């Protein structure tokens, strides 16, 4: 970002899981895929294992993402996107934070750019924003090798979100006027105003460190 206030692009940035979306998309999408392909439910115990490794700091977030989403193995990106469209139509808008949506709607009307920055995989997140169009979506990028999904670069978490914003605006000055997340992260410290979303969906002001 830049300190120059002239011609700055105003941006509001929000996280997805536990923030705009009340639940965890990686968990809920897994359940959805399990209904479509019951044999995929066998991946549940593998997922628990990798979540435990992540909590013990035994693996990096990028490695966790690759292994957690093994339940998408042998499902093409086109098919994942098709499932995702069906999934999000079931979830949106009833499972989304109404207060955040109202604020985002207002920002859109005022010409402020609205951007989602999430650690979730873009392959299943982007179809959500066909239902609720915004200016940009940054998620964890993957490539499909014909069998499994490989994370490209780093998972879209913490400082990686800032890097994605910088890359998106290609050197143009921008200012994050507001940011939303369910946990402390770099993007909240970079925003003029920031909010933490609690488990009950309530928004509380974030105190910068």
């Amino acid at each position: 970002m830049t300190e120059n206030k002239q011609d700055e692009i105003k941006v509001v940035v929000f996280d997805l899981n536990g923030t705009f979306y009340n639940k965890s998309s990686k968990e809920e999408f897994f359940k959805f895929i399990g209904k479509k392909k019951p044999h995929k439910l066998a991946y549940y115990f593998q997922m628990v294992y990798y979540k435990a490794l992540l909590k013990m700091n035994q693996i990096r977030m990028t490695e966790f993402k690759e292994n957690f989403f093994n339940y998408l193995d042998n499902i093409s990106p086109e098919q994942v996107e098709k499932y995702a469209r069906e999934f999000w139509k079931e979830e949106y808008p009833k499972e989304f934070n109404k207060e955040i949506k109202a604020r985002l709607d207002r920002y859109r009307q005022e010409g402020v750019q609205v951007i989602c920055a999430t650690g979730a995989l873009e392959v299943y997140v982007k179809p959500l924003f066909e239902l609720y169009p915004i200016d940009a979506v940054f998620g964890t990028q993957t490539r499909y090798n014909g069998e499994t999904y490989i994370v490209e670069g780093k998972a879209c978490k913490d400082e990686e979100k800032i890097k994605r914003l910088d890359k998106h605006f290609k050197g143009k000055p921008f200012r994050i006027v507001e940011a939303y997340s369910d946990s402390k992260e770099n993007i909240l410290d970079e925003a003029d105003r920031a909010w933490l979303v609690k488990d009950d969906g309530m928004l509380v002001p974030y105190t910068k460190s």
Side-chain angles (χ1 to χ4, degrees):
M1 284 191 304
T2 177
E3 296 297 325
N4 182 8
K5 301 293 183 184
Q6 187 177 3
D7 298 325
E8 283 182 328
I9 301 168
K10 292 182 179 180
V11 185
V12 58
V13 182
F14 63 94
D15 190 17
L16 180 62
N17 297 318
T19 305
F20 185 42
Y21 180 50
N22 295 327
K23 299 184 282 187
S24 167
S25 66
K26 69 177 185 289
E27 308 278 356
E28 298 303 319
F29 193 53
F30 168 67
K31 295 175 188 176
F32 180 84
I33 294 294
K35 292 176 184 176
K36 296 289 184 180
K37 295 178 174 290
H39 68 282
K40 293 287 185 177
L41 293 172
Y43 282 93
Y44 173 78
F45 297 103
Q46 183 184 121
M47 292 156 66
V48 170
Y49 169 71
Y50 284 109
K51 285 173 78 173
L53 289 181
L54 183 68
K55 282 189 176 181
M56 293 186 293
N57 297 313
Q58 297 298 305
I59 57 174
R60 295 175 298 110
M61 178 59 75
T62 299
E63 185 180 356
F64 167 73
K65 293 283 183 184
E66 286 183 340
N67 287 287
F68 185 93
F69 286 98
N70 282 346
Y71 71 86
L72 295 178
D73 284 1
N74 299 307
I75 306 178
S76 71
E78 294 77 17
Q79 186 62 56
V80 171
E81 290 172 11
K82 182 178 178 181
Y83 284 146
R85 288 187 182 94
E86 187 178 345
F87 167 71
W88 289 120
K89 283 179 181 177
E90 291 182 3
E91 298 294 296
Y92 180 83
K94 64 180 184 298
E95 299 296 344
F96 284 73
N97 189 298
K98 292 180 175 60
E99 184 174 356
I100 293 178
K101 183 178 181 301
R103 294 185 182 200
L104 298 180
D105 289 345
R106 186 179 71 248
Y107 276 120
R108 292 165 72 198
Q109 291 171 358
E110 294 172 353
V112 176
Q113 290 208 19
V114 174
I115 294 176
C116 176
T118 174
L121 304 193
E122 286 187 358
V123 67
Y124 78 82
V125 166
K126 282 191 169 183
L128 164 62
F129 296 102
E130 296 171 6
L131 298 172
Y132 184 72
I134 59 175
D135 294 282
V137 182
F138 307 145
T140 298
Q141 297 175 320
T142 57
R143 61 179 172 84
Y144 183 62
N145 67 6
E147 179 180 345
T148 193
Y149 287 83
I150 309 297
V151 172
E152 296 271 64
K154 294 182 179 179
C156 189
K157 302 287 286 185
D158 296 317
E159 69 276 1
E160 191 64 23
K161 293 185 178 183
I162 306 296
K163 291 178 182 177
R164 295 286 294 276
L165 279 169
D166 289 336
K167 182 179 179 181
H168 176 73
F169 287 111
K170 301 175 181 177
K172 295 177 183 176
F174 66 93
R175 188 169 102 244
I176 303 172
V177 296
E178 198 151 90
Y180 302 87
S181 181
D182 65 327
S183 60
K184 179 180 178 180
E185 57 177 327
N186 294 6
I187 205 108
L188 298 181
D189 289 318
E190 297 289 342
D192 292 351
R193 295 182 303 278
W195 302 85
L196 279 172
V197 184
K198 298 301 183 179
D199 291 341
D200 60 1
M202 292 293 293
L203 275 60
V204 296
Y206 170 76
T207 303
K208 297 183 181 181
S209 54

